[in-house]
Amino acid sequence: MSSFRIVRPRKFLLASAALTSLAALDLPAALAQQAREPLPPVEVSPAQSRKQAKPAGREAQSTRRAAARRPAAAAAMPKPVVPATAPPTPLNSNAVAESASRLGLTVRQTPATVEVISAETMREQGYRTVSDVAQGAVGVTAGDNPAEPSAFSMRGFTNSQINTLYNGIKIGPQNMTSRIMDTANLEAVEFLKGPASLISGEGAAGGAINFVTKQPHTGPIRNEADFSWDSLNSFRAHYGSGGSTNVQGLDYRFDISRSALNGFADDTNTKMLDVSGQLNYRISDSLKIWGAIEYREDRSKAYWGAPLVPIAFSGSHATTGIVSGNYFNRTDLGAVTIDDRTFNTNYNVLDNRNVAQEVWLRGGFELKLAPDLTLKSQAYGYGAERTWFNNEIEAFDSTNNQVYRERFYVAHSQRLVGNITDLIWDADIAGFDNRLVTTLSSSYLDFVRPGAANFPNDYVSLVDPNRGFYGSLTTQQQTARINNEALSFEDRLKLTRTFALIGGLRVEHIGLDRNSTDSAGLVRAGFPFTKDWAPVTGRIGYTWEAVPGLTFFSQYATGADVSANTSFLLLPTQPLDLTTARTYETGVKHLFWDNRAEWSFSAYDIVRKNVYAAAGGMALNIAGRQESKGVELAASVRPIDPLRLWGNIAYVDARYADYNFAGGSFSGNTPPNVPRVVANAGASWRFFTPWPVELGITGRHVGDRYNTDANVVTMKAYTVADVYAFVDIPKTVFNAVDQARLTFRVRNITDKRYAIWGDPFYPDQILLGAPRTYELSAAFKW
């Protein structure tokens, strides 16, 4: 293996946004609209202002915040106004999703489709990774393709067309930065559908998914511990603790989780470690400062899928119901199948590895400048080292009836620093309640990418392959530096008690500096180069509560992203055009029957222009336009206390238009990994016995999908189901434990074999879903 050196980024200092002196403000008129039911006051609290609702009828967690402790010097200061804890709803629509709006709106008050999946739901449904969470959301699919882990599909868009956020911060394009992540340290996962550039910036054409880590609370210290083991010999363990310390005004949260998830294919696994902590310190009733740190690590021996094989070759080992179609890439395979002898086969080399280490540092303050004026600021730093060292191509060759294999190596050394500052003003405008949030953000990203300059290859047999080793390696290097500055405004104006206008505008500057050298260290032709973009995006919409609990909404929103998302794959001669998107959406959200039932419906039309699409074989094409139209419906009801029913269904018609290239056209084709129909449903029954027992079942249906833009191979529709049973052990059994739960779960109870994802860059192989597994878990709170 040839040696190489990762170039460390130079030291740099990012000047964060700063607001200087403010004159004393007298805004008594801003308090005169209480009768109009304004937005709740901005809370300067020891915890982040997240209100997480739980399904109706569940035992309430002891998470209601106590009055914040105050230093003696601040005792004479006025007590901050804290909004009342919202009652739980079946679809969690009283949760505040910060990735959807900076106005402090609940899901029901936001003129968009937003879904918040809480930690309680993740635990109850057995969601172990963020991909599991995504597959339970409305209309979302996921596949842990090892080249782009935690890849998602939503409303007809996939991968980097969906922004992935960590506590509201984007770290870079999803297809390069996301990793498999355990849910143990998460408080919630938020899904914002459709173009979302107003809040999360460039890249959010299909929406945004935000991972929120667990945060401190004020009150007695509470601890939790979780353990699980499954029939693949996987295990997970987690410990968390949080509450108020002996230092007045100081609250903390600490979590550590360790997991080793074994794959169903031979010699595949993922090991994860996540350590996170946060301190909140209330200096006074008007000022809170906070700091957070997180370290994440994952190490995988990756599964890259099963090769497409000619039906004529497989004979009696050919399968039905997994894939169909005729395929030609390296050789003409004719009608293809998945050979049942390859279900558990690992074609990766013996010395393969996928590794990532990530460190987060975040800190900031929240300052009440006046009764109706709040300043919030957050500075952050992020660093990551990632490595892929694998055999990634496994393509059946019909000329010799063997599997052609090809190696690939790439590494990342990434550094990111930034600042986000919000100024929140509650005001009275001509007698109407109004809240305005002005946000100034800036970031600097330094990305160094050593990669393979040669690609060792060989042939192995389809069955029982001699996996061998990677072989010799020659490297080359690419770099990218991205500066980003943005100024945005978001406003909510209540025209009546029930009707509100909500809108915003974001002005952004993105600067890219890129370089590329060959294996000898010589700069390639066309490099280095610099490119700038200045997208302007926004949203305008309304909410109308026609009758109590019944809210109609509509919005028009725009998004933009740049080819920096794929800048390492584009040739310097290819255009670096700004990609734009817009959406029209309308819908209804209805909470009724004394909070026992809730449903939501939305319809949307999205168009994205200048789309970069995978042509296969590590190449890119430009599609003129991508269109997506669809509807989504979700509902949950508890007709009687023991019974809970829930379900959701999404339909999308996604197509390319003006997608022409030398040698053909894909206009009218469906983008890869986009099913027309996705549906989830579940039911549970709780027995209120001395040891309460709950039985539940969940089902999931995913329609046909294609693995490439060519649409010649279909990954067939599938339906899978999980069942579970848990028992809550009374406190009288374990005096030191307030809550104890034992759970038994069967995943994929019918042992369905199905295709879960296809990587369009590697069209010769398909990732299969996991077979039936059994799991035991235990959870304790005290």
Side-chain angles (χ1 to χ4, degrees):
M1 181 183 304
S2 63
S3 62
F4 64 95
R5 180 172 63 90
I6 296 178
V7 178
R8 298 293 175 182
R10 57 184 169 80
K11 294 183 179 180
F12 51 82
L13 175 65
L14 180 71
S16 65
L19 296 176
T20 56
S21 58
L22 291 168
L25 298 175
D26 182 15
L27 301 171
L31 300 175
Q33 296 297 318
Q34 297 299 319
R36 292 182 178 272
E37 300 178 1
L39 285 170
V42 175
E43 177 187 2
V44 179
S45 66
Q48 300 283 340
S49 56
R50 288 194 56 80
K51 302 301 177 206
Q52 196 66 35
K54 302 180 291 294
R58 294 285 176 199
E59 306 85 30
Q61 297 181 16
S62 55
T63 56
R64 300 182 184 275
R65 290 169 169 77
R69 300 178 180 179
R70 295 181 296 277
M77 299 184 68
K79 182 179 179 180
V81 181
V82 178
T85 301
T89 72
L91 290 181
N92 209 12
S93 64
N94 279 342
V96 175
E98 295 179 357
S99 61
S101 173
R102 297 189 183 277
L103 293 166
L105 302 177
T106 66
V107 169
R108 202 161 54 256
Q109 295 169 330
T110 305
T113 300
V114 185
E115 187 173 2
V116 179
I117 298 180
S118 67
E120 182 72 11
T121 299
M122 295 182 220
R123 182 178 68 124
E124 196 168 275
Q125 295 298 319
Y127 297 150
R128 299 179 294 181
T129 68
V130 294
S131 293
D132 292 340
V133 178
Q135 292 183 91
V138 184
V140 184
T141 58
D144 283 327
N145 166 24
E148 301 172 2
S150 298
F152 307 107
S153 174
M154 186 164 70
R155 290 196 168 180
F157 300 91
T158 57
N159 299 82
S160 289
Q161 299 171 73
I162 301 168
N163 266 356
T164 301
L165 310 175
Y166 301 86
N167 297 294
I169 300 169
K170 179 181 178 181
I171 62 173
Q174 178 278 332
N175 63 337
M176 290 192 174
T177 61
S178 67
R179 303 295 298 182
I180 297 175
M181 188 166 62
D182 198 285
T183 59
N185 291 45
L186 295 179
E187 179 178 304
V189 179
E190 303 169 350
F191 296 85
L192 172 62
K193 309 291 184 64
S197 287
L198 172 64
I199 305 302
S200 59
E202 65 89 17
I209 300 177
N210 186 32
F211 305 118
V212 183
T213 54
K214 291 179 177 176
Q215 299 166 4
H217 72 275
T218 299
I221 291 176
R222 295 195 298 271
N223 303 281
E224 57 187 81
D226 309 273
F227 310 91
S228 70
W229 174 88
D230 74 10
S231 54
L232 292 174
N233 209 28
S234 303
F235 79 88
R236 299 172 69 224
H238 162 250
Y239 169 76
S241 178
S244 298
T245 69
N246 292 330
V247 178
Q248 210 162 30
L250 182 65
D251 305 322
Y252 80 96
R253 178 72 198 192
F254 172 78
D255 289 273
I256 181 169
S257 61
R258 181 77 170 89
S259 61
L261 304 180
N262 291 322
F264 61 89
D266 300 331
D267 189 30
T268 56
N269 59 69
T270 300
K271 298 178 181 178
M272 291 173 279
L273 172 67
D274 193 339
V275 183
S276 60
Q278 181 168 329
L279 292 174
N280 292 343
Y281 182 45
R282 176 186 291 281
I283 296 176
S284 71
D285 285 326
S286 298
L287 176 62
K288 181 192 79 173
I289 61 175
W290 62 274
I293 185 171
E294 183 170 5
Y295 173 79
R296 285 199 302 263
E297 178 181 302
D298 67 85
R299 297 178 178 274
S300 301
K301 297 182 78 65
Y303 167 66
W304 289 84
L308 296 171
V309 179
I311 292 177
F313 175 84
S314 291
S316 62
H317 294 284
T319 59
T320 59
I322 301 179
V323 297
S324 66
N326 291 274
Y327 181 68
F328 175 87
N329 189 22
R330 288 185 55 81
T331 58
D332 187 358
L333 303 185
V336 292
T337 186
I338 299 296
D339 193 298
D340 63 15
R341 294 170 294 180
T342 68
F343 280 166
N344 302 321
T345 303
N346 181 2
Y347 293 92
N348 208 342
V349 291
L350 292 169
D351 53 347
N352 77 91
R353 62 182 183 273
N354 275 22
V355 180
Q357 296 171 302
E358 304 169 276
V359 176
W360 273 103
L361 293 173
R362 298 181 294 120
F365 66 86
E366 299 178 15
L367 174 64
K368 201 82 162 178
L369 298 169
D372 301 305
L373 194 65
T374 301
L375 179 67
K376 298 169 61 177
S377 186
Q378 173 183 195
Y380 58 87
Y382 170 78
E385 303 287 336
R386 311 181 189 95
T387 301
W388 287 260
F389 186 81
N390 297 276
N391 184 92
E392 298 192 1
I393 293 177
E394 47 198 58
F396 188 84
D397 191 319
S398 59
T399 60
N400 58 20
N401 291 333
Q402 289 185 305
V403 176
Y404 169 80
R405 301 193 309 169
E406 188 172 290
R407 322 288 196 262
F408 187 71
Y409 161 83
V410 70
H412 298 166
S413 182
Q414 179 182 356
R415 301 295 181 268
L416 172 71
V417 293
N419 176 272
I420 303 172
T421 298
D422 298 321
L423 183 65
I424 306 164
W425 182 31
D426 290 309
D428 177 282
I429 298 179
F432 300 109
D433 291 311
N434 190 77
R435 173 171 288 177
L436 171 66
V437 179
T438 302
T439 301
L440 187 61
S441 62
S442 57
S443 67
Y444 176 82
L445 172 66
D446 191 302
F447 208 112
V448 181
R449 183 180 183 264
N454 70 318
F455 308 98
N457 58 81
D458 59 12
Y459 287 88
V460 296
S461 62
L462 179 70
V463 181
D464 296 327
N466 179 9
R467 293 169 55 190
F469 296 92
Y470 188 99
S472 63
L473 173 65
T474 303
T475 64
Q476 55 193 350
Q477 184 165 279
Q478 300 170 321
T479 63
R481 294 180 174 89
I482 302 175
N483 289 286
N484 186 295
E485 301 88 27
L487 175 66
S488 65
F489 306 90
E490 191 178 8
D491 191 87
R492 181 183 192 251
L493 178 65
K494 289 205 72 175
L495 298 178
T496 70
R497 288 171 58 92
T498 61
F499 187 87
L501 291 176
I502 302 165
L505 186 70
R506 181 184 182 100
V507 181
E508 194 164 6
H509 168 261
I510 305 162
L512 169 69
D513 295 306
R514 185 180 162 207
N515 200 2
S516 179
T517 57
D518 61 19
S519 58
L522 300 177
V523 176
R524 295 181 182 277
F527 292 95
F529 69 83
T530 299
K531 179 73 175 180
D532 289 88
W533 301 268
V536 178
T537 56
R539 173 171 70 191
I540 183 69
Y542 72 85
T543 58
W544 174 41
E545 191 173 14
V547 296
L550 180 64
T551 301
F552 294 91
F553 73 91
S554 296
Q555 72 156 332
Y556 170 79
T558 61
D561 59 283
V562 299
S563 56
N565 278 355
T566 50
S567 61
F568 291 121
L569 302 180
L570 289 171
L571 300 174
T573 55
Q574 289 183 276
L576 294 169
D577 295 331
L578 185 70
T579 296
T580 59
R582 65 93 181 131
T583 184
Y584 296 102
E585 181 177 8
T586 189
V588 60
K589 305 170 184 179
H590 190 196
L591 175 65
F592 62 104
W593 199 2
D594 194 26
N595 280 12
R596 299 176 71 92
E598 187 170 20
W599 64 276
S600 65
F601 171 82
S602 62
Y604 59 88
D605 183 323
I606 304 174
V607 173
R608 185 171 183 245
K609 298 180 180 179
N610 292 328
V611 180
Y612 287 85
M618 301 302 292
L620 288 168
N621 286 329
I622 299 178
R625 194 165 73 253
Q626 184 175 338
E627 302 171 349
S628 181
K629 300 178 181 179
V631 294
E632 296 175 350
L633 174 66
S636 181
V637 61
R638 185 177 292 279
I640 56 177
D641 284 343
L643 178 63
R644 182 166 65 100
L645 304 170
W646 64 272
N648 56 64
I649 187 169
Y651 172 85
V652 60
D653 182 8
R655 297 181 181 277
Y656 288 121
D658 300 331
Y659 188 171
N660 303 306
F661 56 93
S665 172
F666 290 155
S667 295
N669 285 9
T670 300
N673 296 301
V674 175
R676 280 182 176 264
V677 177
V678 179
N680 292 280
S684 65
W685 183 277
R686 187 171 182 83
F687 298 89
F688 294 100
T689 53
W691 286 33
V693 173
E694 182 161 312
L695 305 178
I697 183 171
T698 61
R700 176 171 178 79
H701 175 80
V702 177
D704 289 349
R705 295 134 293 140
Y706 300 106
N707 69 326
T708 67
D709 291 337
N711 287 187
V712 293
V713 174
T714 301
M715 297 181 289
K716 303 295 288 183
Y718 66 90
T719 302
V720 293
D722 300 348
V723 296
Y724 66 87
F726 63 72
V727 56
D728 289 327
I729 301 174
K731 185 177 180 180
T732 54
V733 177
F734 302 114
N735 291 329
V737 177
D738 296 323
Q739 299 177 36
R741 174 174 292 178
L742 299 178
T743 304
F744 176 69
R745 190 180 307 274
V746 183
R747 304 178 190 273
N748 189 3
I749 190 171
T750 62
D751 200 25
K752 172 71 174 177
R753 293 288 186 169
Y754 60 96
I756 192 171
W757 199 261
D759 184 345
F761 286 112
Y762 297 141
D764 304 275
Q765 58 224 51
I766 301 293
L767 273 75
L768 302 181
R772 179 171 52 227
T773 57
Y774 306 90
E775 182 185 72
L776 288 170
S777 62
F780 306 93
K781 293 184 178 182
W782 68 96

